Amino acid sequence: MLALRLSRGSHPLVLLRRLLVAAASAGVGFLLLCTLAYAVTGPHPADPAAQRLAWCLAPLAATVQLAVAVARTDPGTRPRQGLSAVGLGPVRMSALAAASTALSGVLGSAVALLFFLHLRGDLSGTPFDGDAAELLAAGEPLPPGAVVLLLALVPVLGAGAAALAFRPPRSRTGELPGDEPERPAGAPTGLPWGVALTAVGVAVESYTARGTEGASGATGGVLAGWTLTAVGLAMAGPGIVHLCGRVLQSVRPGAMRLLAGRALMDDARRIGRPLGVACAVVSALIAASALAGERPQPFGPLTALGAALVAACTVATLLTSAVEARQARAATRAGLLELGASATLLQATALLRAVVLLAVFAPLTWAVAELAALPLRR
């Protein structure tokens, strides 16, 4: 109930971000229901049905990532001093973030179910002259348990991920959770592991695509290889951003380079993982478009919907993480302005950070795209 009241009284931009989570949840729910409809129209070989379900995992993961990013920037779930005295400590705030995320997911799942039933003609007539009836297995009964299970994936996984993101830190004896002073975080340690996972992912793609012709060899092994690549880039992202900040401050830096480099080091964990995931998604889209140009393949509407969901959720997560980083630097920015720093200097510092990240991640994205498409071109 508290989560619902906070949602009703939120800022319009906060409500917009929650509606984006609901829309993404609706898209994923519709894809999962379409996969279920394909399975019940059998008999089908096990592999195509399993591959269809596996292709839904990427939109599902992108939606959960967006839900967590939105929860982290929600002012209603942000820990504040003094809230523990009124019963809103870190544990309660974590539960509140999970409930708010689950509420958005349930809304999206309900919309997906209504839209799916409408296209099947279960609610009122078959729309679009019945063009979607065969795709959605109109007239075939769907198992209610499977429908509920699939539609509950986004709310449950999103709420669980949000609760983990807001879990209270361990405290020393005699201190309330959340009362410890913040300490500067060290350098991210996931860069070597991320590079190794990315290399393994490319190797898996090459091995599974061996002996196949073009994009027709994009089986579950290729999907597994791309997943490993995406996880590796997400792990390596914070380390790459932190390293960019260190390099930017080297060799007699001025005020602008010092500020930009320090900000990159501080924001490495906030924006590094979304940047790594965005790099993986963009590289996959580049590789797919290049292969489609060489050997045109008919992509169905569900494939296009899944790709659009992944791309949209990735962009929204990256922008939301940038908003979170800006909120975290608000006190530092105000202090610099009080000390006499000009607004022009701070704007130039932000532009420098963006240019550095683009100069590093753009070539990395192109290189990963070329490596991903190389085995499929054979």
Side-chain angles (χ1 to χ4, degrees):
M1 185 60 68
L2 180 58
L4 182 60
R5 290 179 178 177
L6 289 175
S7 299
R8 292 177 55 188
S10 299
H11 191 274
L13 290 179
V14 177
L15 289 177
L16 177 61
R17 291 196 289 266
R18 290 176 179 169
L19 288 177
L20 288 177
V21 175
S25 175
V28 173
F30 182 77
L31 285 176
L32 291 171
L33 290 178
C34 291
T35 303
L36 178 62
Y38 174 80
V40 300
T41 56
H44 295 295
D47 288 343
Q51 289 177 16
R52 284 183 175 229
L53 183 61
W55 281 111
C56 295
L57 295 180
L60 176 62
T63 301
V64 172
Q65 184 191 26
L66 173 62
V68 173
V70 169
R72 291 175 64 91
T73 57
D74 194 336
T77 58
R78 192 178 306 157
R80 301 182 185 90
Q81 292 182 352
L83 289 180
S84 298
V86 295
L88 291 177
V91 176
R92 184 69 182 275
M93 297 303 291
S94 175
L96 183 60
S100 177
T101 304
L103 183 63
S104 300
V106 169
L107 176 61
S109 296
V111 172
L113 179 60
L114 291 176
F115 187 65
F116 179 79
L117 295 177
H118 174 66
L119 290 181
R120 276 171 50 97
D122 295 338
L123 298 181
S124 60
T126 305
F128 307 115
D129 297 330
D131 293 339
E134 183 178 356
L135 179 64
L136 304 181
E140 294 286 341
L142 299 178
V147 172
V148 173
L149 177 62
L150 291 178
L151 291 180
L153 284 178
V154 173
V156 171
L157 293 179
L164 288 176
F166 279 83
R167 66 185 183 276
R170 295 181 180 179
S171 58
R172 295 189 296 268
T173 304
E175 294 182 347
L176 292 174
D179 290 341
E180 296 186 21
E182 294 186 1
R183 297 177 177 86
T189 58
L191 182 57
W193 294 102
V195 173
L197 272 181
T198 302
V200 170
V202 174
V204 169
E205 281 191 71
S206 302
Y207 179 78
T208 55
R210 186 179 302 170
T212 60
E213 295 182 1
S216 61
T219 58
V222 175
L223 177 62
W226 180 84
T227 302
L228 288 175
T229 302
V231 173
L233 289 173
M235 291 181 62
I240 295 175
V241 175
H242 193 274
L243 185 60
C244 289
R246 280 193 175 277
V247 173
L248 198 58
Q249 297 177 87
S250 61
V251 190
R252 297 182 180 180
M256 186 170 65
R257 287 171 54 194
L258 276 175
L259 291 175
R262 194 60 190 169
L264 286 178
M265 293 173 65
D266 291 340
D267 295 338
R269 288 180 171 83
R270 293 189 186 95
I271 65 175
R273 290 187 180 91
L275 273 174
V277 174
C279 177
V281 171
V282 173
S283 63
L285 293 177
I286 293 175
S289 62
L291 291 174
E294 293 182 356
R295 298 178 177 87
Q297 298 288 333
F299 292 103
L302 298 182
T303 303
L305 175 60
L309 275 174
V310 172
C313 289
T314 301
V315 173
T317 302
L318 186 58
L319 294 178
T320 305
S321 300
V323 171
E324 181 189 2
R326 181 178 178 84
Q327 291 174 351
R329 288 196 307 271
T332 303
R333 179 184 177 88
L336 289 173
L337 291 175
E338 290 180 359
L339 291 175
S342 64
T344 304
L345 174 63
L346 299 182
Q347 293 173 359
T349 301
L351 180 61
L352 178 60
R353 293 198 305 269
V355 170
V356 168
L357 292 178
L358 182 62
V360 172
F361 279 90
L364 178 61
T365 301
W366 177 84
V368 173
E370 288 296 317
L371 290 175
L374 183 61
L376 299 177
R377 287 172 177 164
R378 296 177 180 176

